Amino acid sequence: MPLLDLWSSNPATIAQLSIEQILATAGSGSLLDNSDCSHELREYLQQVDSQRLAAYIDRCLTVHFQKSGLVLQDLVNELGRRLDYQVTNGRYQGTTNAIGYYGIWSAQDGQAIIIEVKTTDAYRISLDTLARYREGLIKAGQVTSNASVLIVVGREDTGELEAQIRGSQHAWDMRLISTDALQKLVELKEGAEGPEIGRKIRSLLTPREYTRLDEMVDVMFTTAKDVESAVEAEVLKVDDAEQDVASVEKEKGTWEFTDSELLQAKRDEIVAALSKKEGVPLIRKSRALYWSPDHNVQAAFTISKRYLRKGGPAYWYA
């Protein structure tokens, strides 16, 4: 049975499969450019949650299997989509008639990032070759002149590659990040509320001069405050169900907090129910916002416990 049909009819079975088993189930099982396997695998990855993407990435980096590097390429590009980039997948194998790149991530502000994916920095990367890819894409009109290159490396021990970039003429056009750090940015963005957080997180991935650290501090501060406010807004509950919120805060100054994991578990149930009703998978955009992979179905989920106070509302929403 094709991967997407099995995923739709029996997602629990797919959840038990490793990424190499999923690859074997996709199309013909042969991961080639423009193949049915490639199309089905990429469509499947757009429908799963970020935690599952993280597990697949870890599997690609810790267990060697055929085409694991190519699967990692698709997984990294999917992380770009979770950061709200418009992603154009590149080729698995370079050809003489096509510009070699693994992906292009385009932001709404016009900034584009050309993606290079490496499982390790055990061997030197030709930065000149990456620069030629960039120049070729600029000449072809696929990216603008302010496009940069982001090298995504599976291992965190990247000292030699960092030095290679730092000491080259391409230092202002290229940046380096590990898959682990990229996943953390996705997790941070999905746990936040305001759309401004996504823009600030994306700004970290483009080359910038950080002699003055104000902008980096602003990204960290704004993100931390947004996540803190989102958590407080959801878990703040009154201690005395017979009194209203204002009187409890004034007279007692005590609050009862509902475990955020319980709130998220209830949200997950609601998301699953709506997903089934609409017939589309819903993936997480932020803490309370979800959308389908094509963004045609969008929904907000706000959670409240039930209040028993007489004469008051049964539920409260911020």
Side-chain angles (χ1 to χ4, degrees), residues 45-46 48-50 78-84 186 189:
L45 295 179
Q46 291 182 45
V48 303
D49 59 46
S50 299
E78 186 55 35
L79 292 181
R81 291 188 180 90
R82 302 305 166 95
L83 291 173
D84 290 352
V186 172
K189 183 254 182 188

Side-chain angles (χ1 to χ4, degrees), residues 16-247:
Q16 303 301 317
L17 301 180
S18 65
I19 185 60
E20 60 265 41
Q21 291 172 319
I22 287 172
L23 175 61
T25 309
S28 64
S30 180
L31 193 58
L32 301 170
D33 285 309
N34 300 316
S35 65
D36 57 349
C37 178
S38 172
H39 293 313
E40 196 164 13
L41 176 64
R42 289 172 177 175
E43 187 173 347
Y44 166 74
L45 295 179
Q46 291 182 45
Q47 299 181 21
V48 303
D49 59 46
S50 299
Q51 289 75 21
R52 191 165 298 178
L53 293 178
Y56 293 158
I57 289 173
D58 181 69
R59 181 77 176 179
C60 286
L61 295 174
T62 56
V63 178
H64 178 72
F65 60 91
Q66 189 175 18
K67 302 298 179 75
S68 59
L70 305 186
V71 176
L72 180 64
Q73 176 181 326
D74 282 338
L75 287 164
V76 167
N77 278 328
E78 186 55 35
L79 292 181
R81 291 188 180 90
R82 302 305 166 95
L83 291 173
D84 290 352
Y85 284 101
Q86 183 70 35
V87 175
T88 301
N89 291 89
R91 296 183 59 84
Y92 296 124
Q93 303 291 339
T95 67
T96 56
N97 299 321
I99 302 172
Y101 64 90
Y102 284 5
I104 298 175
W105 297 0
S106 302
Q108 291 184 349
D109 61 4
Q111 180 70 46
I113 300 176
I114 302 162
I115 300 299
E116 176 77 9
V117 182
K118 298 295 181 184
T119 57
T120 177
D121 70 338
Y123 56 91
R124 294 180 66 84
I125 297 175
S126 173
L127 300 184
D128 290 338
T129 298
L130 298 183
R132 286 195 295 271
Y133 291 163
R134 175 178 173 273
E135 291 300 321
L137 291 169
I138 293 173
K139 290 180 180 179
Q142 293 183 253
V143 298
T144 58
S145 58
N146 66 344
S148 58
V149 175
L150 179 65
I151 304 172
V152 183
V153 183
R155 311 287 185 236
E156 294 187 14
D157 184 13
T158 58
E160 181 177 347
L161 184 52
E162 291 174 48
Q164 186 181 345
I165 296 173
R166 192 181 303 116
S168 75
Q169 61 180 325
H170 309 297
W172 288 105
D173 299 323
M174 298 184 184
R175 284 296 181 266
L176 176 72
I177 191 170
S178 68
T179 54
D180 183 61
L182 194 59
Q183 291 172 70
K184 289 177 180 176
L185 289 180
V186 172
E187 182 179 350
L188 191 61
K189 183 254 182 188
E190 291 182 346
E193 283 290 351
E196 182 68 8
I197 299 305
R199 187 191 67 78
K200 289 182 178 293
I201 289 175
R202 288 189 293 274
S203 73
L204 295 174
L205 299 180
T206 57
R208 295 180 182 272
E209 197 279 317
Y210 281 124
T211 299
R212 179 168 176 171
L213 300 176
D214 293 44
E215 186 173 2
M216 184 179 291
V217 171
D218 181 53
V219 172
M220 298 167 61
F221 179 80
T222 304
T223 304
K225 293 298 291 184
D226 180 277
V227 173
E228 178 184 350
S229 298
V231 172
E232 288 179 350
E234 286 206 329
V235 304
L236 201 55
K237 305 297 177 184
V238 295
D239 181 49
D240 188 342
E242 297 300 321
Q243 301 182 59
D244 59 34
V245 174
S247 64

